[in-house]
Amino acid sequence: MAETPCRNIGGGFLFVDVPNPMYIFNMRKVYLDHTATTPLDPEVLEAMMPYFLQKFGNASSIHRFGQESKAALDESRNTIAKILGAQQGELIFVSGGTEADNALIKGVARNMRTGSGKDHIVTSNIEHHAVLETCKSLEDEKFTVTYVDADADGCVSPENVFKAIRPSTGIISIMHANNEVGTVNRIETIGRFARERNILFHTDAVQTFCKLPVNVADMNIDLLSISAHKIYGPKGIGAMFIRKGVQIDRLIDGGAQERGRRAGTENVPLAVGFATAARLMNQSRENQSHRLLGLKNKLRSMLKERFPFVLFNGHPSESLPHILNISFDSRKIRIDGESLLFNLDLAGIAVTSGSACTSGSQEPSHVLLAMGRDRATAKASIRFSMGNSTTEEDINYTFNELEKIVSRIGTIL
Ligand code: PLP
C-alpha cells in the first residue's frame, strides 16, 4: 500500500493509506455496526416475497385479496405481541423506532394536557435523538421537560428519575438500553414507581427487543417502541405498544387503520418480515447473547492489555452483550477520531463513533459527554457492535488492524 500524508475529507485533513484497487477487491470486510442496522435475514426476505407479488391486497379491503393480507397482518401482530407479553390489540405498526417514539410521547403528552392538565415530562440526557428531539419539540409547545442526568456508566438511576417527579408529571420516558454504550437501565423499577403514581411509563426498546427479555406486563411498561431493522428485519417498519386503556392522540390523521391509531395503508410485506425476524431472533436470543458476550469479553481483554490509554464506556456488567464502546484518553494519547474510523474503513472494518444519526456530524457523542468524557476523548471513540455473523477471526482481524492504525496515527503524550 502507498502511504499518502493526508487527504482532504469534508474540510478536514485525515491521515490515510491509499490502497491499490486489487487490494480493495480482495479485502476482508468486517461489519461491526449492527447497532446502526442489520442485514436482512434471507428467511425474512423469503417470507415477505409473496406479499409483494401474489398476496398484494389492501388489508382494509373486504374482498378475499384484502382478507388474505389482513390475516397475515393479524398473524404478524400476534407473533410480536406474544414475544412482548402484550395483547394483539395493543400493538400498532408504524414506520420505525423514530415514528414510534414521536407518536407515543407526543400523543400521550398532548392528550394528558387536554385531559388532566398535566404538562411535565421526565426523560434522560442519554436518550436517542428520536426521543430527545421529540421532547424538544414538545418544549416548543410549552410542555416542561426534565432531562435526568445519566451516571458515568451511562445508567439512568431510578432514584434520580423519582426525584424529578412533580404533581404535573404525566409521562416518564427512559430507554431500556443505550444504543451507543449498551448500558441497560432498571426500567422495571422505574415502571413500578410510575404506575404507583399514575404516571405513564414509556421505554424505547429499539436496541433490546429480541436481544434481552422484554415483557411489558412484568416490567410495568405502558408504552414501548421497537424497530425491525435492528433484528435482521426490513427497514421502514416498527411498532408501538400502547397498553389497553391508555389515552393517546394520534400523530397521523387519515383512515381508521390500526384501530384508528395510525392512519395509512398497512404495509403487510414489511409486517410479515418484522414478525419473521422477531420469531427467528427470539428463538436464537440466548445462544447468540452467550456467544456475543464471549466475543465482546475477548476484544475487551485484548484492548485492555495492549492499550493502557483506552477507556471503556458503559456499565461493565449491566450492558448489552454485543456492544463494546471505547475512547482513547485525550490525556494520554492524541489521536483523531475521524482518521481512526476512516482508516478502519480502509481496512474493511465498519464501526462508528456513536449512533448512526450523529456519526458524520463531527460532533462528539451527547451520550459520552453526558457520561463525563471530555470533548477530545469523546471524539476519539469507537463503538463496536457485533451480530449473528461476527466471528472470532473478525475480532482478531479488527484488533490487529486497530493496533497498526493506532501506532501509525496516534501520538502518545
Ligand atoms: N431508538 C433507538 C435507541 C435507536 O437505536 C434507534 C436507531 O438507531 C431509533 C430509536 C430509531 O429507530 P429507526 O431507525 O427504526 O427509526
Side-chain angles (χ1 to χ4, degrees), residues 35-36 95-99 101 128 130 175 177-179 204 206-207 226-230 237 355-357:
T35 309
S95 66
T98 302
E99 186 186 330
D101 286 341
H128 189 270
M175 68 201 317
N178 183 267
N179 51 300
D204 177 332
V206 166
Q207 292 296 344
I226 53 177
S227 178
H229 74 99
K230 310 290 184 183
I237 188 156
S355 74
C357 313

Side-chain angles (χ1 to χ4, degrees), residues 101 105 121-124 127 131 135 171-175 200-204:
D101 286 341
I105 301 171
I121 299 158
V122 174
T123 187
S124 81
E127 298 294 312
V131 168
C135 288
I171 179 167
I172 298 173
S173 176
I174 302 294
M175 68 201 317
L200 292 174
F201 176 53
H202 166 250
T203 193
D204 177 332

